[in-house]
Amino acid sequence: IVAVTTITTTTMNRVFGKKKKAAPSPSLDETSNGLGGRAGAMDDKIEKLEKELRVYKDKMKKAKSPAAKKNLQKRAMEVLKRKRMYEQQRDVVMGQQFNIDQANFSLQSAKANIQTVAALKASNAELQRTIKKDLDIDAVEDITDDMAELMEDFNEINEALGRNFATPDDLDEADLDAELELLEDELEDLDELEEPTPSYLQASQLPAVPGSALPAAPSDHHNAPLPSRT
């Protein structure tokens, strides 16, 4: 039965031909590029027709007979119709290209969104594993409590090291103020017992200091030494 089926299939392929595989569909980028090429070709044709119209326009200005001018107008009208036709076709092709580009952009955005969601899921799973494995909230709270206690101990140590050992702890500020007042009274009594400064030593009785320099000592005319007395 298998052999008969194979022979029958081979015979039918020879008679009717073997069904060809369908060609793969073009991508959106290929389709957009093809439409862009068609629109560019139409722009070239439109540019050539515009040059022809300018030529006919110049000829109509220079034409002297009405018949020649009418013939030029007829030809220019045909060129103008072809130009309008190409312009309409170009607008249709450019609209199709715009739709293809929009679809391509939407497709690329959807793919990017899928990748973003997949990355977020992987990050979320990795973060959960990390928190459960390496970041125990109870352990973190214990560490912060230990650090707070260590800082309190450190501050107490600094206060103990900065304490003045020569000062007794049982001193009262009121007693210190009273002792300071007594010391001030004793100093005032000592000032009263000291002898006053004599009037001739007071600053108001001393002569003024001369402001000019003292005169130089007399010398011989030839700077010779003075004769010694015998």
Side-chain angles (χ1 to χ4, degrees), residues 62-225:
K62 297 177 182 179
K64 297 180 179 179
S65 63
K69 187 174 182 180
K70 186 175 181 181
N71 188 19
L72 292 172
Q73 287 179 348
K74 183 177 179 181
R75 293 180 181 180
M77 186 63 66
E78 293 177 355
V79 173
L80 181 60
K81 289 180 180 180
R82 283 187 292 166
K83 177 177 174 292
R84 295 287 175 84
M85 179 188 67
Y86 283 128
E87 287 177 346
Q88 292 178 356
Q89 292 179 356
R90 180 199 59 186
D91 294 339
V92 173
V93 171
M94 292 184 67
Q96 294 175 355
Q97 185 183 20
F98 177 77
N99 294 332
I100 293 296
D101 291 339
Q102 285 291 100
N104 191 13
F105 177 78
S106 300
L107 180 60
Q108 297 299 327
S109 299
K111 291 180 179 179
N113 291 335
I114 293 173
Q115 294 178 354
T116 302
V117 172
L120 289 175
K121 288 182 178 179
S123 300
N124 188 18
E126 184 66 22
L127 183 60
Q128 290 180 357
R129 286 194 298 269
T130 303
I131 291 175
K132 291 180 181 180
K133 182 179 179 181
D134 300 328
L135 294 176
D136 187 4
I137 186 62
D138 295 332
V140 173
E141 290 179 353
D142 293 339
I143 292 173
T144 55
D145 294 339
D146 293 340
M147 288 296 297
E149 293 178 359
L150 289 174
M151 292 303 297
E152 291 179 0
D153 295 339
F154 183 73
N155 293 331
E156 292 179 359
I157 291 172
N158 288 335
E159 291 177 0
L161 292 176
R163 189 178 303 164
N164 190 354
F165 297 102
T167 303
D169 294 336
D170 56 350
L171 290 179
D172 189 5
E173 293 184 359
D175 295 338
L176 293 176
D177 292 337
E179 185 174 355
L180 182 61
E181 291 179 359
L182 292 174
L183 181 60
E184 291 176 354
D185 294 339
E186 290 179 359
L187 293 176
E188 290 178 358
D189 294 339
L190 289 175
D191 293 338
E192 293 176 356
L193 292 176
E194 290 180 356
E195 295 181 357
T197 304
S199 60
Y200 61 85
L201 293 178
Q202 293 180 0
S204 60
Q205 300 298 328
L206 294 177
V209 178
S212 60
L214 296 176
S219 61
D220 191 8
H221 181 70
H222 298 286
N223 294 329

